């Protein structure tokens, strides 16, 4: 098969969250399975320096943006056989310090920046000599690509245009913006209606994607069901229900070449299920690094992530506070909303021997937190898939999660299945429910055989990308056969 993926962030080139991990790993897995695979993504600052093998293609893109014409260059990299990454060099749009925001506010021209990206993807899909047969776009930033492709097929004579697939990684981000941005699409206004790109008078990238993509996937089976309900559908549940037959949930895999405990440059002490002494040594390293008292016997809880409403930080802080009378430690690494950053810093200031908070984005530290902690906290309000709990399972760190989305699909509580249990789950979105789950963890910590049982189930679980990629290939085949 010939597949072109597109995303605004792709690991290891750029990343703000799991989206980048997922697309980077899917691309590798598709190529490894023998398929010709391309990935389109912006060229952000620093990528050329970190990947000196990038070379410029002899290709000048000139795309209409409203009444203007905007040009871009294309850089390529071949990280492995059958895989080519195409980086769109457009400095005015992409040469910025961070990907989407400045000082906690979205860049005001994000719609324009990502209409350009959506167009660049359609342009490459049309003119790349290897003629991709399927274009798979991820999240709102490239959500307009399916419509742009269909438009060029229906009205601009693009014969044998590729089929399209849209993966929804997070319905909370839809690229909804004032209708005035529609001019940058250079599409006729007859797509701007309730069955197309329009949503309550605004342009909505994700709605356009759902309306025009041949197939829609999400990143866990439970989230696929949830988004068809009013509670989780973020206004698009009705449309998703109408496209019910095209909505499929596929749980993300883990890239075990990056996320492992045996050959990991970020971990001083390798370990595995048969020999967990390295895990304890990593815990002590972490405590030392964070300036917490070094003690293997103190149960340590961790959390890494974007500090936004989605992640349940408003539960986490008061729930922790209610158990900080116990001898425990907590480490948090994250960046996001200033109110959450301030509340976490305040907790660390008041409990310096128990709480360590790192604000910002750090590449190696997540591995050390996953390896060093005993428990990983993920009390999300909603969670399309979640990768950190999957990493925790592999690192022998017991996840404590709320039973939503991919968290519910990947974590098994003792009450559900005592034999296969690998974590602790709670369901109410409330401080007492989370505090109770943490207290259960403290009881569990005192029963080494039970700890080992859960840990063993987690470390033996396989969320292999080979299996996940096969599920995507089945979706692609279905679309190509239709
Ligand atoms: P989401 O994509 O919603 O942010 P996921 O659990 O799917 O959540 O993935 C988050 C990914 O981003 C993980 O690889 C995690 O380690 C990483 N990450 C999140 N915040 C940070 C941070 N502050 N520093 C380093 N890595 C981070
Ligand atoms: C989104 C979701 C997260 C998911 C990730 C990768 O960022 O919030 O749950 O794991 O995408 O699919």
């Amino acid at each position: 098969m010939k597949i072109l993926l597109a995303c605004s962030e792709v690991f290891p080139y750029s990343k703000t969250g799991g989206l980048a991990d997922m697309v980077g790993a899917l691309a590798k897995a598709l190529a490894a399975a023998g398929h010709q695979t391309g990935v389109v993504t912006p060229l952000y600052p620093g990528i050329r320096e970190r990947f000196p093998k990038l070379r410029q293609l002899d290709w000048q893109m000139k795309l209409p943006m409203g009444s203007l014409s905007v040009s871009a260059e294309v850089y390529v990299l071949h990280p492995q056989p059958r895989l080519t990454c195409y980086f769109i060099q457009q400095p005015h749009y992409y040469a910025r310090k961070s990907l989407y925001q400045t000082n906690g506010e979205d860049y005001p021209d994000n719609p324009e920046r990502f209409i350009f990206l959506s167009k660049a993807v359609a342009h490459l899909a049309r003119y790349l000599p290897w003629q991709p047969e399927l274009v798979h776009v991820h999240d709102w930033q490239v959500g307009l690509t399916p419509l742009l492709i269909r438009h060029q097929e229906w009205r601009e004579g693009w014969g044998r245009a590729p089929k399209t697939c849209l993966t929804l990684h997070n319905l909370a981000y839809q690229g909804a913006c004032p209708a005035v941005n529609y001019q940058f699409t250079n599409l006729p206004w007859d797509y701007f209606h309730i069955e197309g790109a329009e949503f309550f008078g605004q342009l909505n990238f994700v709605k356009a994607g759902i309306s025009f993509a041949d197939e829609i996937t999400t990143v866990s089976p439970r989230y696929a069901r949830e988004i068809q309900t009013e509670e989780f559908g973020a206004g698009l549940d009705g449309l998703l229900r109408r496209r019910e037959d095209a909505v499929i949930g596929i749980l993300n895999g883990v890239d075990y070449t990056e996320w492992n405990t045996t050959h990991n440059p970020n971990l001083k002490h390798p370990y595995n299920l048969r020999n967990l002494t390295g895990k304890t040594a990593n815990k002590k390293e972490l405590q030392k690094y964070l300036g917490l008292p070094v003690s293997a016997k103190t149960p340590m809880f961790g959390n890494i992530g974007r500090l936004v409403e989605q992640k349940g930080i408003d539960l986490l802080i008061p729930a922790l506070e209610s158990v900080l009378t116990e001898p425990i430690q907590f480490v948090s690494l994250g960046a996001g909303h200033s109110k959450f950053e301030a509340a976490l810093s305040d907790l660390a200031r008041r409990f310096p021997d128990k709480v360590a908070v790192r604000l910002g984005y750090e590449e190696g530290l997540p591995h050390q937190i996953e390896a060093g902690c005993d428990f990983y906290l993920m009390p999300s309000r909603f969670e399309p898939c979640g990768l950190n709990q999957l990493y925790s399972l592999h690192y022998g760190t017991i996840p404590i999660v709320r039973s939503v989305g991919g968290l519910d699909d990947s974590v098994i509580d003792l009450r559900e299945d005592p034999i296969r249990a690998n974590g602790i789950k709670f369901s109410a979105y409330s401080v007492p429910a989370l505090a109770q789950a943490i207290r259960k963890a403290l009881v569990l910590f005192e029963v080494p055989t039970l700890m080992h049982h859960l840990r063993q189930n987690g470390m033996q679980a396989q969320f292999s990308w080979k299996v996940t990629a096969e599920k995507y290939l089945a979706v692609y085949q279905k679309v190509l056969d239709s």
Side-chain angles (χ1 to χ4, degrees), residues 188-378:
W189 282 89
D190 56 5
Y191 297 114
F192 195 78
H193 56 70
I194 191 165
E195 302 282 309
E198 185 261 354
F199 190 58
F200 290 104
Q202 292 199 307
L203 167 62
N204 186 309
F205 285 55
V206 163
K207 188 174 176 207
I210 296 172
S211 304
F212 291 97
D214 294 300
E215 196 74 27
I216 298 143
T217 74
T218 70
V219 286
S220 70
R222 176 155 174 172
Y223 191 62
R225 297 192 298 275
E226 287 172 346
I227 56 176
Q228 297 179 47
T229 67
E230 208 181 318
E231 188 185 354
F232 293 96
L236 296 177
D237 45 295
L239 177 62
L240 284 161
R241 280 195 299 275
R242 282 202 292 286
R243 296 224 53 196
E244 183 189 12
D245 292 344
V247 181
I248 295 174
I250 300 174
L251 196 75
N252 287 333
V254 172
D255 183 348
Y256 292 113
T257 60
E258 293 290 336
W259 294 90
N260 70 77
T261 58
T262 48
H263 299 87
N264 189 330
N266 300 296
L267 299 181
K268 272 204 184 145
H269 308 280
Y271 65 95
N272 58 29
L273 185 56
R274 280 180 308 284
N275 186 357
L276 285 163
T277 51
K279 184 164 172 68
T280 309
N282 285 316
K283 177 172 177 178
K284 291 181 178 167
E285 294 284 350
L286 180 66
Q287 290 167 325
K288 218 184 306 165
Y289 174 77
L290 297 169
L292 293 172
V294 175
S295 150
K297 286 208 198 84
T298 307
M300 193 168 187
F301 295 75
N303 174 263
I304 306 157
R306 298 178 297 113
L307 301 177
V308 294
E309 305 287 342
Q310 173 193 348
K311 300 293 176 182
I313 313 296
D314 54 334
L315 291 191
L316 187 59
I317 294 169
L320 270 172
E321 186 145 11
S322 74
V323 293
L324 276 171
T325 42
E326 307 284 344
I328 66 167
Q329 292 181 347
F330 169 69
V331 50
S332 163
L333 166 65
H337 213 300
S338 52
K339 69 176 178 192
F340 296 134
E341 292 192 352
L344 281 167
S345 303
D346 182 55
L347 203 63
R349 198 177 39 75
R350 287 188 290 127
F351 299 91
D353 283 348
K354 293 188 173 174
V355 178
V357 171
R358 289 286 179 275
L359 299 179
Y361 188 90
E362 288 183 49
E363 275 297 333
L365 190 53
H367 294 268
Q368 290 146 24
I369 294 177
E370 292 285 8
C373 286
D374 302 289
F375 299 98
Y376 188 88
L377 289 161
M378 218 155 158

Side-chain angles (χ1 to χ4, degrees), residues 18-19 22 169-170 219 252 306 310-311 383-387:
L19 175 64
M22 188 282 188
H169 293 259
N170 195 332
V219 286
N252 287 333
R306 298 178 297 113
Q310 173 193 348
K311 300 293 176 182
E383 196 61 75
C385 175
L387 293 175

Side-chain angles (χ1 to χ4, degrees), residues 141-157:
Q141 294 89 345
V142 277
L144 284 171
T145 302
L147 167 57
L148 291 162
I149 291 177
R150 289 287 78 82
H151 169 72
Q152 292 182 37
E153 179 183 46
W154 294 331
R155 312 222 189 143
E156 294 182 352

Side-chain angles (χ1 to χ4, degrees), residues 398 414 418 421 443-457:
I398 293 167
L414 276 168
V443 173
L444 188 69
F445 192 73
E446 298 304 321
V447 189
T449 48
L450 208 47
M451 275 296 278
H452 189 77
H453 175 64
L454 263 63
R455 199 169 251 164
Q456 179 169 339
N457 283 337

Side-chain angles (χ1 to χ4, degrees), residues 100 139 184 203 206 271 357 393 441 470 480:
Y100 314 119
D139 266 5
F184 296 120
L203 167 62
V206 163
Y271 65 95
V357 171
L393 290 171
E470 275 162 17
L480 291 177

